[in-house]
């Protein structure tokens, strides 16, 4: 009975979070994804009923395989490169900051942690495109389940503090050291990015899910063909990401109604499942060093990014939005844009987050294997 309740929670809590935050009028400062995390974390830390880790782990892995392609289909990579020069530069600085921070901390902590190369690869992924990358890279690097659970809990704790700062004092402080945002000038109205209206077409949603299942099957099949087994999850994740990006190049697929929202729902299910694995008492008892490691990587990465932004004269709003896209992914962009009172950057921010989600798997695995060879 407890297992059935746990599955039902993973499936239906996202819907309750979406409806609840909207009807209560709190979606601007408390997004459904934060609510999904909080519900899962609450249930994991308050012994209402026994949580089976195997169910949450399996659900999180399945949801992330489905969410990544569905979220990436709507990415207009060509348009992003063409019209978002300031965002591209700021996001590139985010990537550089994350890599530098992860490499430095892997070196300093190598005597205290046995697999800093693996942890750094996972953190590069999560601070390039969000939590889904951590799960994907963790699977690819064959990270132990307990390591992933502790690292995810540490990330939620540290990034949660950063989210509080983003929605309170940090924009005011950065406004004193970074230039003011200037409205971009477009050659024509056709060049202006447009925030798409949420529409649902059941036929196109089914098409997007069908294509996703096909891409997953193709990625699994090719991995099996090359290695004779599915132990090389790194190749599977890279193939999944690559095929999803290639699919997004088709305007027809990119404009399928509801594919992004369907991916978001799977991502919310993922957040509930991950929340159910996040036991902070275990983190404090067994993962103190991982918490410190994560805090150092994230803190150094954020500070470096804002220093680079000041040096390259990136405006405050663009720096904050691209940092949000890198650390949290595309689903938090709307919330932070509301805090900044700047909806102009929403489309570019979401595109940046999706590109980060796509690049994070490549970059995280590259950094991990390079560190493994040198440390």
């Amino acid at each position: 009975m407890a297992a059935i309740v746990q599955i039902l929670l993973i499936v239906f809590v996202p819907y309750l979070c979406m409806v609840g935050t909207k009807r209560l009028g709190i979606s601007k400062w408390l997004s459904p994804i934060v609510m999904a995390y909080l519900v899962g974390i609450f249930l994991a830390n308050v012994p209402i009923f026994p949580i089976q880790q195997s169910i949450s782990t399996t659900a999180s892995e399945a949801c992330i395989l489905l969410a990544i392609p569905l979220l990436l289909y709507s990415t207009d990579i060509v348009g992003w490169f063409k019209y978002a020069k300031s965002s591209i530069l700021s996001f590139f600085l985010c990537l550089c900051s994350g890599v530098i921070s992860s490499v430095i901390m892997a070196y300093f902590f190598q005597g205290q942690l046995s697999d800093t190369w693996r942890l750094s690869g996972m953190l590069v992924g999560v601070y390039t495109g969000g939590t889904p990358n951590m799960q994907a890279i963790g699977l690819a690097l064959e990270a132990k389940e307990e390591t992933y659970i502790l690292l995810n809990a540490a990330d939620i704790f540290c990034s949660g503090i950063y989210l509080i700062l983003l929605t309170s004092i940090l924009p005011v402080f950065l406004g004193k050291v970074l230039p003011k945002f200037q409205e971009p000038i477009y050659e024509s109205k056709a060049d202006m990015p447009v925030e798409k209206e949420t529409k649902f077409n059941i036929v196109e949603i089914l098409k997007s899910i069908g294509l996703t299942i096909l891409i997953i099957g193709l990625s699994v099949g090719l991995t099996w063909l090359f290695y004779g087994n599915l132990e090389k999850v790194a190749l599977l994740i890279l193939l999944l990401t690559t095929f999803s990006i290639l699919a997004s190049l088709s305007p027809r697929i990119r404009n399928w109604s509801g594919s992004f929202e369907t991916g978001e729902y799977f991502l919310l299910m993922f957040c509930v499942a991950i929340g159910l694995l996040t036991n902070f008492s275990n983190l404090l008892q067994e993962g103190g060093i991982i918490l410190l490691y994560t805090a150092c990587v994230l803190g150094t990465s954020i500070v470096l990014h804002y220093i680079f932004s000041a040096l390259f004269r990136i405006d405050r709003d663009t720096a904050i939005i691209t940092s949000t896209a890198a650390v949290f992914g595309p689903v938090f962009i709307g919330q932070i844009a509301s805090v900044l009172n700047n909806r102009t950057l929403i489309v570019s921010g979401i595109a940046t987050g999706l590109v980060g989600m796509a690049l994070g798997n490549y970059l995280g695995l590259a950094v991990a294997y390079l560190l493994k060879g040198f440390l």
Side-chain angles (χ1 to χ4, degrees), residues 117-177:
W117 65 274
R118 184 180 281 116
L119 295 175
S120 283
M122 294 168 70
L123 289 178
V124 165
V126 75
Y127 298 140
T128 298
T131 304
N133 291 68
M134 180 193 288
Q135 174 78 346
I137 294 170
L139 287 171
L141 296 178
E142 301 177 4
K144 295 179 180 178
E145 183 177 323
E146 55 268 29
T147 299
Y148 171 77
I149 291 173
L150 290 173
L151 187 64
N152 180 73
D155 168 56
I156 290 176
F157 181 83
C158 295
S159 59
I161 294 174
Y162 181 43
L163 183 63
I164 292 172
L165 293 174
L166 281 176
T167 55
S168 55
I169 62 173
L170 193 57
V172 177
F173 171 76
L174 291 175
K176 299 180 184 299
V177 296

Side-chain angles (χ1 to χ4, degrees), residues 1-9 48-52 55 276:
M1 181 60 70
I4 294 173
V5 171
Q6 186 173 341
I7 293 171
L8 291 175
L9 286 171
I48 298 176
F49 68 95
I51 302 296
Q52 294 189 30
I55 293 176
L276 290 170

Side-chain angles (χ1 to χ4, degrees), residues 245-324:
I245 294 173
L246 291 175
S248 75
L249 298 178
S250 166
R252 178 178 295 181
I253 293 175
R254 193 165 59 245
N255 292 315
W256 274 346
S257 299
S259 61
F260 183 83
E261 289 75 19
T262 305
E264 274 191 313
Y265 195 88
F266 280 115
L267 188 59
L268 287 170
M269 289 174 60
F270 166 80
C271 292
V272 176
I274 289 300
L276 290 170
L277 293 172
T278 307
N279 191 308
F280 286 125
S281 63
N282 291 341
L283 174 64
L284 295 176
Q285 293 174 7
E286 304 173 19
I289 186 64
I290 289 181
L291 177 60
L292 177 61
Y293 186 81
T294 304
C296 289
V297 171
L298 177 59
T300 305
S301 176
I302 291 170
V303 171
L304 282 176
H305 173 240
Y306 289 126
I307 290 174
F308 289 152
S309 295
L311 292 175
F312 284 88
R313 305 302 295 165
I314 303 295
D315 66 88
R316 182 201 70 165
D317 291 6
T318 298
I320 289 177
I321 286 292
T322 50
S323 178
T324 301

Side-chain angles (χ1 to χ4, degrees), residues 18 22 24 56 63 86 105 167 194 206 209 242 244 265 290 298 325-326 342 353:
M18 292 169 64
K22 186 176 181 179
L24 293 174
S56 292
C63 287
S86 181
M105 294 308 158
T167 55
V194 178
L206 292 175
I209 293 175
T242 302
S244 301
Y265 195 88
I290 289 181
L298 177 59
N342 185 346

Side-chain angles (χ1 to χ4, degrees), residues 181-217:
F181 174 77
Q182 299 292 329
E183 290 284 346
I185 300 175
Y186 299 98
E187 296 178 3
S188 66
K189 288 185 178 181
D191 294 336
M192 296 177 64
V194 178
E195 189 178 356
K196 293 182 179 179
E197 191 177 333
T198 301
K199 295 180 180 179
F200 294 98
N201 183 313
I202 188 63
V203 174
E204 293 185 347
I205 289 175
L206 292 175
K207 285 181 180 179
S208 63
I209 293 175
L211 179 60
T212 299
I213 294 173
L214 179 63
I215 287 176
I216 293 173

